[in-house]
Each structure stands twice: as structure tokens, then as C-alpha cells.
């Protein structure tokens, strides 16, 4: 077999079980691809020795005939996941040199099942960004290219999206606080699912906004997402928000039969100034699902317009609290002090040097909205809005809607540097279609459906009922089959 790195998880799993390839061969193919794609800056910490050791162990497990689904499959791990003995910086200078003594639950689940870790993937600093331009490592680059411009792979899981799209790994982990799995997936023609809040443990994942953060897989197909998600999930007593629920066989539930399913189209997502191509993509997606047997209905989510401003109160507030622990005392970067400097100066200088401008901006916003006199006016009001947003979805699902179809992003991938010098609110608007899902704690998936006039991928989002990832994946599989999206970026790197 040639070009083993281009395989998806399902194909590679079946090839391993059939004996037509080995985990070592798959891993070598991916390592060579990574070596030749340095310009993409997707991988920021390389672990080839660890990968080859894990591949050898996986081959032995497969030979014994008792290997889990992810056994022997080479993947990338987003730098937000703590990995034992491997640098875990969350894309920030302030965690420079941090080598965790423990493994995050999600990455531990994957490695325990025999998955092979190729290395750590680029990301926006502390997952704060929509373009991967806030990373201390420099930005990752989208493998899709239509002219001489370099395009963003999206954020914050930009390195994960770029690596999967460029076939540097078979799949990757991502995290999603306001769209950080689904937006990069849409920008790179890949699949990304954010499961229900509490489905994947947050333990060992560097925190951004604890009530919103959720891990998920980024893959080359919906089937691959089902395979990887099952291994990532599971109850974890170390995370108080982890759901003590059985994890179903998501792949078995993924029939693609959506006859009689009711798919809602929320009128509030038809926003002023939305590009005609996105609107047409949405309409085409609805037609595909209708042709597959679903009933398409118009629905209303009336508090959608408040989601983005409420999110950008709640998320920075939680970030302000979570990032207070980074002080230069126990681990990571510590500023050089002048004679006479005390502990206060050490904190101030360390945090000023260690945090980038976007993180500083969000910490300051969060500290402001939590301060005396503003807590009720901003933070508590945003929490009440969040409750109303959640109720909107509950009402729609109670009325018999099985899933909701929306655009994933307001545009295809934009050029690096295009939005960093403008009002940061313009960058925040990239999350306009995705933040409601995090605010309500629901599962959402981005599926590539077509190319725009420039030849760049565009995705649609499906939102499902809580804890019904299997049903959501089945609907996404139907959409994927109908769209027939097989385009890949032309290799220029």
C-alpha cells in the first residue's frame, strides 16, 4: 500500500486487522509527511521515538487479536492536552518548558487503546482565537491555497485541522469552547464534532472557560469521528462535570437512515450580510437531507442574537479566573527581576511577558465583568441570557425536531493577517454560528459540503439533542454521503 498517511481511521483500522499494513508502516508514512510539511507549522512538538515505540506495541496487540478500534492508528494531540513527559504549552510562552507528570484523561484513553501519538499540534494561545495567529509558535497554515496568500486553518484547533487536511496524521484531538473544533474543520474540508458538555473529561486539558470547554475529534470522515469519539469519551471521577453515562458504539448507530427525521432551519441564522455562497450552501444542504427522507421545518431560536455578546462576557470571566494560576512561581516562564523587585513585580512582569495580547485582552475583560459593581450588570445578566438560549433549544427539541442544520462559518477561510489588524470584534464574529451550541452544552458537528467560487471548502453544522451523538453522527453521515465531498488540497508545501 502506498501513501498510507492519506488513509482515514476506518480504512487504516481495517487494513491493520487484515494484515495488509502495520502500525509501524503507518507511523513512518505520517512522520515522513510531517517532515515534508514544516512550512504548515502544524506540529510544534515532535515525538517520533515515542511514536515508533507505541507503534511496535500496537502491532504486538493486533497480532494477539485483541486490539481496540484505535489501536495502531497514528494521531496528533492538540497542545492544550497535558501529555506525560511531553511539552504541553497551550500555545503560550507562560508554559514554556512545562513537562506534565500526568496524562490528560482523553489522551490517556486514546493512548491506552493503542493509538500512536505523533506529536503536539499548534493552536491559538490558551485556545483564545479563531485563526491560530495568537500562538507563541507562530501561526499554522491552511493546506488549502488558491493564490499566493497564506490562509488561516481556523482556530483555536488550527494545527489539528491543518494536520488532518494535509494527511500528516490520520486524525487529531481538538477542543471547542465557542467553535474551535467546528470552525477549523469547515475551513479545511475536514470533519469536527463537539460532543455534549460532560461527554469527554476535561481533566488534564488546560482550562480556558470551564463551563464551555469540551474535547472532540477532528477527522477525515464522519465514520472516523464516530470511531475516535467513542474512545475519547467515558466517565471520569476526576472531572466533576463528567457524565456518568454509558458510551454507546457510535459507529454502529451511524446508519445514515434519516427517513422521517425532522431537521430544523433556524430563521435567526439568516443574518444580514451573509455571503450568497453560504446561503446557497445551506439551502443545498437542506435539499440533500430532504432528498434523503428528512422533513425540513423552519424553527425559531429567538435569543440567538444575544449569544455572541453573552459568550464574550462568560468566556473571558472564566478565563480570568482560570488563568490566575499562572504566576511564574511553580512552573513555566518567570520574568527576570530587577533589584528591589518583590513578589508583586514578579507576578506583573511574568504575566505581561508570558501572556500574548489576545489573552491579556480577554483576561482584562473578564476581570472587569467580575469586579464589584459590574458582576450583576454583565456576568449575571449573561448567565441569564445563556439560560434563555438553552431553553430555546429545549423547546425546539421538545416540539419533535431531531437535529438543526446551520452554516458552520460565515465565510470560507480568510487570509492570515486579514483580521488581526482590525477591530477584534470582527474576528469574534467567526463564532457567530457556533457559540450557541457551547452555551447550551449541546453536541454539534461540522461536515464539509462544497467548495466556494475560489475553490475553498465550506462546511455545514448539524446540532443534536444532548447525549444523542449517535443520532447526530447518523444525520451527519447522511449529509456527507449526499454531498459527496472528496476534494483535497493540492500539495504545494
Amino acid at each position: 500500500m502506498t501513501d498510507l498517511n492519506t488513509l482515514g481511521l476506518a480504512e487504516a483500522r481495517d487494513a491493520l486487522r487484515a494484515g495488509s499494513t502495520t502500525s509501524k508502516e503507518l507511523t513512518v508514512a505520517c512522520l515522513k509527511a510531517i517532515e515534508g510539511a514544516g512550512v504548515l507549522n502544524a506540529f510544534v512538538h515532535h515525538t517520533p521515538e515515542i511514536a515508533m515505540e507505541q507503534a511496535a506495541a500496537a502491532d504486538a496487540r493486533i497480532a494477539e487479536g485483541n486490539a481496540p478500534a484505535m489501536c495502531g492508528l497514528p494521531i496528533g494531540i492538540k497542545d492544550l492536552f497535558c501529555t506525560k513527559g511531553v511539552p504541553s504549552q497551550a500555545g503560550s510562552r507562560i508554559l514554556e518548558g512545562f513537562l506534565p507528570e500526568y496524562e490528560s484523561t482523553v489522551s490517556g484513553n486514546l493512548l491506552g487503546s493503542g493509538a500512536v501519538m505523533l506529536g503536539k499540534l499548534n493552536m491559538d494561545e490558551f485556545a483564545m482565537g479563531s485563526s491560530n495567529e495568537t500562538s507563541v509558535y507562530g501561526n499554522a497554515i491552511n493546506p488549502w491555497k488558491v493564490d499566493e496568500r497564506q490562509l488561516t486553518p481556523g482556530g483555536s484547533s488550527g494545527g489539528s485541522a491543518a494536520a488532518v487536511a494535509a494527511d500528516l496524521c490520520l486524525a487529531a484531538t481538538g477542543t471547542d469552547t465557542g467553535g474551535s473544533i467546528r470552525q477549523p474543520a469547515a475551513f479545511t474540508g475536514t470533519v469536527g464534532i463537539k460532543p455534549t458538555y460532560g461527554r469527554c473529561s476535561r481533566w488534564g486539558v488546560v482550562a480556558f472557560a470551564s463551563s464551555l470547554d469540551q474535547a472532540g475529534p477532528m477527522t477525515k470522515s464522519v465514520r472516523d469521528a464516530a470511531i475516535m469519539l467513542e474512545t475519547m469519551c467515558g466517565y471520569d471521577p476526576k472531572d466533576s462535570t463528567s457524565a456518568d453515562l454509558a458510551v454507546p458504539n457510535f459507529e454502529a448507530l451511524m446508519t445514515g437512515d434519516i427517513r422521517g427525521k425532522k431537521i430544523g432551519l433556524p430563521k435567526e441564522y439568516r443574518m444580514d450580510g451573509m455571503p450568497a455562497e453560504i446561503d446557497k450552501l445551506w439551502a443545498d444542504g437542506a435539499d440533500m437531507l430532504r432528498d434523503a427522507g428528512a422533513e425540513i421545518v423552519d424553527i425559531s431560536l429567538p435569543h440567538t442574537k444575544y449569544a455572541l455578546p453573552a459568550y464574550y462576557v462568560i468566556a473571558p470571566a472564566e478565563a480570568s479566573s482560570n488563568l490566575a494560576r499562572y504566576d511564574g512561581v511553580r512552573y513555566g516562564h518567570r520574568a527576570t527581576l530587577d533589584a528591589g523587585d518583590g513578589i508583586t513585580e514578579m507576578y506583573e512582569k511574568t504575566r505581561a511577558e508570558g501572556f500574548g495580547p489576545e489573552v491579556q485582552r480577554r483576561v482584562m475583560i473578564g476581570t472587569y465583568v467580575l469586579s464589584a459593581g459590574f458582576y450583576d450588570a454583565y456576568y449575571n445578566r449573561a448567565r441569564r441570557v445563556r439560560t434563555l438560549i438553552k431553553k430555546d433549544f429545549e423547546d425546539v427539541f421538545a416540539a419533535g425536531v431531531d437535529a438543526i442544520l446551520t452554516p458552520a462559518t460565515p465565510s470560507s477561510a480568510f487570509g492570515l493577517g486579514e483580521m488581526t489588524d482590525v477591530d477584534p470584534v470582527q474576528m469574534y464574529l467567526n463564532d457567530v454560528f457556533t457559540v450557541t451550541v457551547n452555551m447550551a452544552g449541546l453536541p454539534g458537528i461540522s461536515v464539509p459540503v462544497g467548495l466556494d467560487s475560489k475553490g475553498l471548502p465550506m462546511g455545514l453544522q448539524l446540532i443534536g439533542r444532548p447525549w444523542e451523538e449517535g443520532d447526530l453522527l447518523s444525520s451527519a453521515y447522511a449529509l456527507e454521503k449526499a454531498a459527496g465531498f472528496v476534494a483535497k488540497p493540492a500539495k504545494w508545501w
Side-chain angles (χ1 to χ4, degrees):
M1 299 179 70
T2 58
D3 298 325
L4 291 171
N5 56 298
T6 65
L7 297 177
L9 295 178
E11 298 166 297
R13 175 197 62 185
D14 295 346
L16 287 170
R17 301 306 179 272
S20 54
T21 190
T22 66
S23 180
K24 281 186 178 180
E25 290 171 337
L26 283 168
T27 301
V28 167
C30 289
L31 291 173
K32 286 182 178 178
I34 293 167
E35 186 178 351
V39 68
L40 298 180
N41 199 28
F43 278 87
V44 291
H45 297 296
H46 300 260
T47 57
E49 295 87 2
I50 292 173
M52 292 308 297
E53 289 175 8
Q54 292 172 342
D59 282 333
R61 289 177 72 174
I62 293 167
E64 292 168 1
N66 188 27
M70 288 294 296
C71 190
L73 303 177
I75 61 171
I77 304 291
K78 184 177 179 178
D79 195 39
L80 203 65
F81 293 81
C82 288
T83 44
K84 186 175 182 179
V86 177
S88 303
Q89 281 188 239
S92 180
R93 185 185 181 194
I94 207 161
L95 279 172
E96 193 172 45
F98 175 52
L99 297 175
E101 294 295 325
Y102 53 88
E103 191 78 34
S104 79
T105 298
V106 164
S107 58
N109 288 346
L110 289 164
L111 298 179
S113 76
V116 174
M117 181 177 71
L118 297 165
K120 304 296 286 293
L121 291 158
N122 206 345
M123 56 173 284
D124 281 295
E125 184 180 8
F126 282 102
M128 299 181 194
S130 300
S131 64
N132 215 142
E133 291 174 278
T134 69
S135 172
V136 71
Y137 312 115
N139 53 267
I141 295 171
N142 196 326
W144 290 83
K145 200 170 185 179
V146 292
D147 50 35
E148 294 308 307
R149 290 182 309 154
Q150 291 182 339
L151 302 176
T152 177
S156 65
S157 308
S160 299
V164 174
D167 292 322
L168 309 187
C169 53
L170 306 194
T173 64
T175 62
D176 194 309
T177 306
S180 288
I181 285 174
R182 290 159 290 152
Q183 183 246 31
F187 279 0
T188 56
T190 56
V191 172
I193 181 170
K194 182 206 88 71
T196 309
Y197 182 79
R199 181 63 93 175
C200 288
S201 171
R202 294 181 298 108
W203 193 84
V205 181
V206 178
F208 166 12
S210 299
S211 74
L212 300 163
D213 299 342
Q214 191 65 186
M218 304 186 73
T219 61
K220 299 177 185 181
S221 71
V222 174
R223 183 174 299 280
D224 289 357
I227 293 168
M228 188 170 178
L229 180 62
E230 184 179 344
T231 301
M232 293 174 69
C233 291
Y235 173 64
D236 180 9
K238 297 192 293 293
D239 175 6
S240 62
T241 63
S242 175
D244 190 2
L245 295 173
V247 179
N249 183 334
F250 293 126
E251 187 180 11
L253 294 173
M254 200 184 70
T255 64
D257 184 359
I258 59 169
R259 288 173 295 180
K261 296 284 186 183
K262 191 178 288 187
I263 308 293
L265 304 182
K267 64 181 183 181
E268 289 80 10
Y269 280 59
R270 300 189 186 281
M271 299 182 175
D272 293 340
M274 189 163 74
E277 286 183 312
I278 297 292
D279 197 41
K280 183 179 184 303
L281 183 81
W282 191 11
D284 290 346
D287 288 341
M288 292 174 194
L289 294 175
R290 184 184 290 109
D291 291 343
E295 178 188 355
I296 307 299
V297 296
D298 290 324
I299 62 170
S300 178
L301 299 169
H303 294 94
T304 293
K305 63 183 177 181
Y306 305 116
L308 205 61
Y311 171 85
Y312 277 103
V313 170
I314 291 171
E318 295 186 10
S320 171
S321 176
N322 280 325
L323 270 61
R325 71 192 68 173
Y326 303 108
D327 52 18
V329 175
R330 288 155 292 185
Y331 46 76
H333 175 74
R334 179 186 292 186
T336 302
L337 303 181
D338 297 325
D341 282 347
I343 192 167
T344 300
E345 288 78 15
M346 187 197 74
Y347 287 161
E348 290 174 348
K349 289 182 179 180
T350 294
R351 290 168 68 82
E353 291 177 8
F355 291 144
E358 182 60 30
V359 173
Q360 292 183 26
R361 179 185 293 119
R362 298 198 196 192
V363 167
M364 288 190 288
I365 291 170
T367 303
Y368 176 79
V369 302
L370 290 176
S371 61
F374 299 104
Y375 188 92
D376 284 332
Y378 293 104
Y379 184 64
N380 271 342
R381 181 173 293 183
R383 289 173 63 201
R384 289 194 290 271
V385 169
R386 180 180 187 172
T387 300
L388 294 172
I389 291 167
K390 187 171 185 289
K391 188 175 186 306
D392 285 347
F393 284 104
E394 290 171 350
D395 291 346
V396 165
F397 290 133
V401 169
D402 296 288
I404 298 167
L405 180 71
T406 80
T409 58
S411 70
S412 59
F414 51 87
L416 290 164
E418 281 185 19
M419 293 197 183
T420 50
D421 296 328
V422 299
D423 180 353
V425 172
Q426 295 301 310
M427 184 74 83
Y428 298 164
L429 289 173
N430 269 277
D431 301 329
V432 68
F433 297 129
T434 52
V435 295
T436 54
V437 179
N438 299 80
M439 296 286 270
L442 299 172
I445 186 170
S446 177
V447 179
V449 173
L451 300 174
D452 70 1
S453 60
K454 300 183 292 247
L456 295 176
M458 299 185 295
L460 288 176
Q461 174 181 231
L462 279 162
I463 304 167
R465 298 170 181 267
W467 313 115
E468 295 293 341
E469 288 87 358
D471 195 53
L472 178 65
L473 285 159
S474 191
S475 297
Y477 182 51
L479 180 62
E480 179 185 59
K481 286 195 299 182
F485 184 91
V486 294
K488 297 285 289 185
K491 187 173 179 180
W492 56 267
W493 56 93

